[in-house]
Amino acid sequence: MTESSRTLIIACAVMKDELLAVNHAPNIQIEFLEQALHRTPAKMPGAIQEKIHQADGYDYIVLGYGSCGNGIAGVRAEKRPLVIPKAHDCITLLFGSLQAHLKEHEKVPGTYYLTKGWIEEAKDPLGVLEEYTQRYGRKTAEWVLEQEFKNYKRIVLVTNGTFDPAKYRSRARANAEFLGLAYEEIPGSLAFFEKLVQGRWDNSEFVILKPGEEVTQQVFLSLIGCPSSPA
């Protein structure tokens, strides 16, 4: 990628603040898709593919997604290279590296991570509780959440300088209290986002597919080096 290359980044809306914070180049366009697609992963490839089909005049297409439960399987960019982070999901991006993510996973495997984006999108456990309550009633919703989180140990609010943690701390703590989990705040990093936006796509952290090459299971094998995350 050169300084004059035009790049389209297609990313999940929960990472909007992080990507906008590091993007200062006029030749880089970012399109955000709703986080709700993660709950219907079968629809995600089509939504991403539609954005790619609509793209015109770009030299590169970059996905702000990891493998995300096979949510990018089948995606391809016919006329230009397609760049994908080597990550199971966005937690690796939020911590700045696979190594940092693995360190936290090994420390406490049963961790649910929160950021401003998840809380504002109401995709935190309490937000999901309200969603389930509308569908199934409060009692059933609480039971479902208890089952979903029975093996978790802590809630972590990942901070990175793009928001004031004090504005989201009470909500994050309320999630932990509702689930009976420990609560921590851990600083993240914008390093991975900077590399993604600036075109520093080292093959140890990114996969670059040729024009027309499809995201397949074989490609996924290089993306799932980090543990699965609940987010």
Side-chain angles (χ1 to χ4, degrees), residues 120-147:
E120 288 191 339
E121 290 276 330
K123 300 306 178 184
D124 56 334
L126 289 177
V128 174
L129 174 66
E130 294 306 315
E131 178 185 334
Y132 286 176
T133 297
Q134 293 178 17
R135 293 183 185 180
Y136 315 116
R138 186 73 176 192
K139 186 175 181 180
T140 299
E142 290 184 355
W143 179 84
V144 171
L145 263 292
E146 288 175 1
Q147 295 304 305

Side-chain angles (χ1 to χ4, degrees), residues 106-120:
E106 291 169 359
K107 179 180 176 183
V108 183
T111 299
Y112 193 95
Y113 299 96
L114 291 176
T115 66
K116 173 188 175 183
W118 277 302
I119 293 174
E120 288 191 339

Side-chain angles (χ1 to χ4, degrees), residues 37-133:
L37 287 170
H38 285 275
R39 303 190 73 81
T40 54
K43 297 180 180 180
M44 188 185 296
I48 294 173
Q49 195 65 63
E50 183 178 357
K51 287 291 184 183
I52 293 175
H53 286 326
Q54 294 172 352
D56 186 32
Y58 293 98
D59 299 297
Y60 296 92
I61 303 292
V62 180
L63 300 187
Y65 292 92
S67 62
C68 297
N70 288 350
I72 59 173
V75 171
R76 70 173 71 194
E78 294 289 352
K79 301 178 180 179
R80 52 193 67 84
L82 180 65
V83 183
I84 310 168
K86 282 188 176 182
H88 185 280
D89 52 37
C90 59
I91 305 302
T92 291
L93 278 67
L94 290 165
F95 275 119
S97 70
L98 172 60
Q99 291 73 23
H101 183 186
L102 285 173
K103 180 180 179 180
E104 283 303 319
H105 175 75
E106 291 169 359
K107 179 180 176 183
V108 183
T111 299
Y112 193 95
Y113 299 96
L114 291 176
T115 66
K116 173 188 175 183
W118 277 302
I119 293 174
E120 288 191 339
E121 290 276 330
K123 300 306 178 184
D124 56 334
L126 289 177
V128 174
L129 174 66
E130 294 306 315
E131 178 185 334
Y132 286 176
T133 297

Side-chain angles (χ1 to χ4, degrees), residues 3 13 16 22 33 58 76 141 161-162 180 199 202-203 216 230:
E3 292 185 3
K16 185 174 183 177
V22 300
L33 295 176
Y58 293 98
R76 70 173 71 194
T162 64
D202 185 278
N203 60 14
T216 64

